[in-house]
Amino acid sequence: MEVKTLPLSGIRVIELARVLAGPWAGQMLADLGADVIKVENPDGGDDTRAWGPPFVTGKDGENLSSAYYHSTNRNKRAIALDFRSAEDLEVARRLIRTADVVIENFKVGGLEKYGLDYKSLAAVNPRLVYCSITGFGQDGPYAARAGYDYIVQGMSGFMSVTGAPDGEPMKAGVAIADIFTGIYSVAAIQAALIHAMRTGRGQQIDMALLDVQSAVMANQNMNYLVSGIAPTRLGNAHPNITPYEVIETADGHIILAVGNDGQFQRFCAILGRNDLPADERFSTNKSRVKHRADLRPLILEQSRNWTKSDLLSACERNGVPAGPINSIAETFDDPQIKARGMRLDLADRDGNSIPGVRTPIIFSETPLSYDRPSPRLGEHSSEILAELEAIEEKRKSA
């Protein structure tokens, strides 16, 4: 059987990052085949190891760290180093001399006192791609502030358009600023690696949570920039399309995602309201958006006569986009999620099974590999140190 080489095989990443954005980037790179070495302080390690419950429990009752930690540290190796120790700090520097990439999320300037800043490291490893992740970037009036996903969701305008119109501003149910920053960081790192391979020169990447969350506001940004009017909260409704919202049925709610006039006509036929598309208030999407307050009660008057399953089946038969609102338990029980193999179950060194979710990328030629669950604190320290010495000896004799 032919063994496929993973896309990033041979790329070494040193992860000096904690919590979510940096580790998320590291996990994606590891899933793509990079050798990601997670460096943690021996005193407790990554903060998220303690962010529970729930915690993963081993067969012998051992606490194997929180579910949160395991969500973002798969496929990595781990070494425990205390930068306050001259010996450990030198190990970190030696490791980085063998690396292609560093990911760090210390405060601006926080690594300079250790000689682990980009300028110091690039002097000895000019090909190094150095990705710095902070809340607000390396410059600007907020650069020195600590960055938190929740605060950035508020500052970016995201919470001003999320939630019910008559309710309080609402954050997302997951840390989307962190997650998006991790994903953008992976794209930037891979681009910088290509540049380094072409030119022999690395560079520093400046990633800021506020930049990212502001950028991914997408059409809401453009709605404001074009109209001069700041969008507001619409609950589950869409600012540019209608009916594109949650609707009520006899036994619960479903999502209706009508994207064009033809779909609207077919949906009205399902409801037995063929008169609605002929009404000038509802004949085009532009007019429906203008008169959404008039349209919604007319739809609900009919949809409440249907069960969720019957209305969803009718929409599917007639080419009208609609879907259920699943709990996470229902999502993992969904036949499509099962067919796509989204759930992982990885065995650790003691035979404990650690659940997870695969990276949502499928390659036809180089399928991703999930070889190990998240590492224990310092689990691979001896292995990494022995390997480092072998690399250094090989370079001396070359």
Side-chain angles (χ1 to χ4, degrees):
M1 181 178 177
E2 181 184 1
V3 177
K4 300 287 188 179
T5 300
L6 293 172
L8 295 183
S9 292
I11 299 297
R12 170 168 281 196
V13 179
I14 307 301
E15 182 186 296
L16 310 179
R18 309 167 302 284
V19 188
L20 187 51
W24 193 267
Q27 179 171 267
M28 284 190 65
L29 293 170
D31 287 350
L32 290 166
D35 176 22
V36 178
I37 298 175
K38 185 177 183 68
V39 178
E40 297 176 85
N41 191 303
D43 185 18
D46 191 313
D47 296 349
T48 62
R49 287 183 180 275
W51 284 13
F55 294 93
V56 175
T57 304
K59 293 184 294 184
D60 60 357
E62 181 186 2
N63 183 337
L64 300 180
S65 295
S66 70
Y68 193 119
Y69 168 77
H70 285 282
S71 74
T72 189
N73 286 289
R74 175 184 59 242
N75 266 345
K76 303 173 186 178
R77 296 192 291 167
I79 186 170
L81 298 174
D82 185 346
F83 293 165
R84 295 168 297 183
S85 159
E87 182 179 351
D88 281 7
L89 182 56
E90 181 57 25
V91 170
R93 291 172 179 153
R94 289 164 58 202
L95 273 175
I96 292 170
R97 283 197 288 270
T98 71
D100 301 285
V101 179
V102 165
I103 302 172
E104 64 91 7
N105 66 348
F106 283 71
K107 291 181 180 180
V108 174
L111 288 174
E112 288 182 16
K113 61 184 176 182
Y114 301 116
L116 298 178
D117 57 296
Y118 173 67
K119 184 177 179 181
S120 299
L121 295 173
V124 295
N125 186 356
R127 296 175 61 91
L128 184 67
V129 172
Y130 187 98
C131 182
S132 297
I133 299 175
T134 59
F136 301 101
Q138 298 296 303
D139 55 20
Y142 303 157
R145 292 186 186 179
Y148 295 92
D149 174 277
Y150 197 169
I151 293 172
V152 165
Q153 287 192 42
M155 294 178 69
S156 66
F158 175 82
M159 291 175 64
S160 75
V161 297
T162 305
D166 56 351
E168 67 179 12
M170 190 66 61
K171 71 176 183 66
V174 293
I176 57 171
D178 277 327
I179 297 294
F180 273 122
T181 300
I183 295 169
Y184 270 92
S185 294
V186 169
I189 286 167
Q190 292 180 112
L193 283 170
I194 293 172
H195 175 266
M197 291 172 184
R198 288 173 175 168
T199 67
R201 300 294 302 176
Q203 59 188 302
Q204 184 174 16
I205 300 168
D206 177 4
M207 298 297 305
L209 269 65
L210 182 58
D211 293 356
V212 170
Q213 188 57 49
S214 297
V216 300
M217 294 302 292
N219 59 299
Q220 294 283 35
N221 282 339
M222 290 302 293
N223 289 343
Y224 165 69
L225 293 173
V226 170
S227 71
I229 300 171
T232 57
R233 298 190 300 280
L234 295 174
N236 288 310
H238 194 288
N240 304 110
I241 316 170
T242 198
Y244 199 99
E245 57 202 79
V246 170
I247 62 171
E248 186 180 355
T249 70
D251 59 349
H253 296 83
I254 67 169
I255 296 168
L256 177 65
V258 169
N260 58 52
D261 295 339
Q263 291 172 357
F264 179 66
Q265 292 163 12
R266 295 195 295 275
F267 181 63
C268 289
I270 292 170
L271 297 184
R273 290 298 305 265
N274 287 309
D275 58 308
L276 294 181
D279 188 317
E280 64 179 11
R281 295 174 298 168
F282 313 131
S283 58
T284 67
N285 180 69
K286 180 180 178 180
S287 58
R288 289 194 297 276
V289 170
K290 182 178 180 180
H291 297 284
R292 69 168 73 235
D294 298 328
L295 177 60
R296 181 171 171 80
L298 298 175
I299 290 175
L300 294 180
E301 182 180 11
Q302 301 300 318
S303 67
R304 287 168 178 153
N305 297 322
W306 293 71
T307 65
K308 290 188 293 184
S309 61
D310 285 347
L311 187 51
L312 286 171
S313 296
C315 287
E316 184 170 1
R317 288 195 306 271
N318 289 277
V320 176
I325 302 173
N326 290 335
S327 68
I328 293 179
E330 289 169 327
T331 296
F332 278 104
D333 196 43
D334 188 285
Q336 183 67 18
I337 293 294
K338 290 181 176 179
R340 298 287 287 178
M342 289 303 297
R343 173 171 175 154
L344 300 174
D345 287 282
L346 305 178
D348 73 0
R349 66 187 186 189
D350 295 326
N352 299 300
S353 181
I354 313 293
V357 181
R358 72 168 176 84
T359 287
I361 296 172
I362 294 178
F363 289 124
S364 63
E365 291 298 316
T366 55
L368 304 191
S369 177
Y370 304 97
D371 299 323
R372 54 167 70 98
S374 306
R376 302 184 191 193
L377 179 58
E379 178 177 349
H380 305 96
S381 293
S382 297
E383 172 187 313
I384 292 167
L385 289 172
E387 183 180 277
L388 177 60
E389 290 180 6
I391 292 172
E392 291 175 335
E393 282 298 317
K394 185 176 181 180
R395 288 183 174 180
K396 286 178 185 179
S397 59

